[in-house]
Amino acid sequence: MLGWSADEVESRKFTDLLHPDDAEASLDAFHKLKLGKPALHFENRFRHKDGSYRWLSWNAIPDGETYYCTARDISGDKENKSSLDTSLEQAQLREQFIAVLGHDLRNPLAALRAGVGMLEKEELSDRGNMVIAESEKSIKRMFDMIDDLMDFARSRLGSGVSLEIVENADLSVALKAVLQEVAVAHPKAEFVSDIEMAGPVCCDVGRVSQLTSNLLANAVTHGDANAPITLIARGEGNFLEISVCNAGEPITDAVRKGLFEPFVREQARPSQEGLGLGLFISSEIARAHGGSISVRSDAEETCFTFTM
């Protein structure tokens, strides 16, 4: 199985042919075997005579000071296994993990938010008020990241982002509120708005607000800090177009290819905050509405446009 002769194998310790990364676990399993505990379906890698490594699955049964061991070559099984992203079993485990993670993080974070809210009502020094304000911003960012993780899990595992469609949504008010919220979070940035809705729009107001907030935050992160960021919105009925434009270095073709992929940040000016999910989730929200997001980027400006 490994290409060695019997003499070549028997003249060595079994650890001589073990993969270095498997040595500790294998020695631990052998120690337990000597204490009388069988090893069933234990997997490790042994070196073939050609220099490669083969995966072996072991069943080992102790009988006094004698150990009966059988090994099966499972290298082909390992090679044929689906990758983590495409394996249904792993996908289900990931979904469960993210759901539990999101739930377990929300509870202590909610308690922290409540505690900060109570402190906010106390008489504090200017420094104390500043710490409270910054803490609230950090807590909000953490809640946003949890929401992004949950949306990512739903999108990647087939259910997609959830929508609550409103037939006659007044987006003007919602978009202005989003712009104000982002402006408060980024006081040094300059924003210009051009919002003219001809009438109510059929959409999920919360999700469209989330999409817009992501695009605005992306513009703040990657745009020219000395130039304004423009939000343009037009819509009525089943038509909606929202554009967020900023000055700055154009997006390269290499970066553009993975722009809407999860956990990818623009390499030209990588952000130190967030998970790299903003543009991915925005594109999923657009798709759930039957729309899309396009990007135009040149030396003059970069513009992301959601069209439905």
Side-chain angles (χ1 to χ4, degrees), residues 7-24:
D7 289 341
E8 287 174 317
V9 171
E10 292 171 7
S11 64
R12 291 175 166 86
K13 294 180 180 180
F14 83 91
T15 51
D16 292 345
L17 299 178
L18 261 178
H19 191 290
D21 292 346
D22 298 337
E24 183 177 352

Side-chain angles (χ1 to χ4, degrees), residues 178 182 191 208-222 229-231 242-246 260 278-280 282-283 292-294 303-307:
V178 168
V182 175
F191 296 91
V208 171
S209 297
Q210 182 183 2
L211 179 155
T212 305
S213 178
N214 285 343
L215 295 183
L216 286 169
N218 187 69
V220 172
T221 300
H222 301 293
I229 296 166
T230 304
L231 170 63
I242 297 175
S243 295
V244 174
C245 304
N246 61 269
F260 295 100
L279 290 180
F280 168 75
S282 295
S283 67
S292 62
I293 296 181
S294 61
C303 193
F304 285 85
T305 300
F306 163 52
T307 305

Side-chain angles (χ1 to χ4, degrees), residues 68-288:
Y68 295 94
C69 310
T70 63
R72 182 169 61 91
D73 187 347
I74 59 170
S75 302
D77 295 341
K78 288 286 186 180
E79 291 174 2
N80 292 332
K81 274 190 176 181
S82 299
S83 65
L84 178 64
D85 289 337
T86 58
S87 166
L88 177 60
E89 180 182 357
Q90 293 293 344
Q92 291 172 340
L93 288 173
R94 183 173 62 191
E95 183 180 37
Q96 293 170 1
F97 168 75
I98 291 177
V100 170
L101 175 68
H103 178 270
D104 288 353
L105 285 177
R106 283 178 186 275
N107 290 337
L109 200 55
L112 185 60
R113 171 177 275 178
V116 169
M118 292 175 62
L119 287 175
E120 193 175 23
K121 298 176 182 178
E122 302 290 330
E123 283 192 25
L124 300 172
S125 64
D126 291 342
R127 180 179 176 82
N129 287 323
M130 180 190 70
V131 171
I132 290 294
E134 292 303 314
S135 298
E136 288 178 335
K137 291 179 184 178
S138 296
I139 291 172
K140 182 183 183 303
R141 279 203 305 273
M142 291 172 71
F143 269 115
D144 289 343
M145 284 192 284
I146 291 172
D147 289 339
D148 283 349
L149 275 176
M150 302 300 283
D151 284 340
F152 166 74
R154 284 188 286 264
S155 298
R156 297 294 275 194
L157 299 173
S159 59
V161 297
S162 57
L163 296 182
E164 294 182 9
I165 299 295
V166 177
E167 293 292 334
N168 297 306
D170 184 358
L171 271 182
S172 294
V173 174
L175 293 179
K176 290 175 182 177
V178 168
L179 187 63
Q180 177 64 22
E181 182 179 279
V182 175
V184 169
H186 302 279
K188 294 183 179 180
E190 180 184 352
F191 296 91
V192 176
S193 65
D194 182 7
I195 302 172
E196 292 185 9
M197 311 301 290
V201 178
C202 179
C203 67
D204 183 324
V205 180
R207 288 297 192 182
V208 171
S209 297
Q210 182 183 2
L211 179 155
T212 305
S213 178
N214 285 343
L215 295 183
L216 286 169
N218 187 69
V220 172
T221 300
H222 301 293
D224 184 347
N226 298 315
I229 296 166
T230 304
L231 170 63
I232 305 170
R234 302 285 186 272
E236 181 180 23
N238 291 319
F239 169 76
L240 177 62
E241 186 172 274
I242 297 175
S243 295
V244 174
C245 304
N246 61 269
E249 294 183 10
I251 301 173
T252 64
D253 291 339
V255 172
R256 193 190 297 258
K257 291 178 181 178
L259 206 53
F260 295 100
E261 292 300 315
F263 305 116
V264 174
R265 297 187 179 99
E266 187 176 338
Q267 296 172 9
R269 290 184 59 188
S271 168
Q272 299 301 313
E273 295 181 0
L275 298 170
L277 289 172
L279 290 180
F280 168 75
I281 291 171
S282 295
S283 67
E284 290 296 298
I285 293 172
R287 189 168 62 132

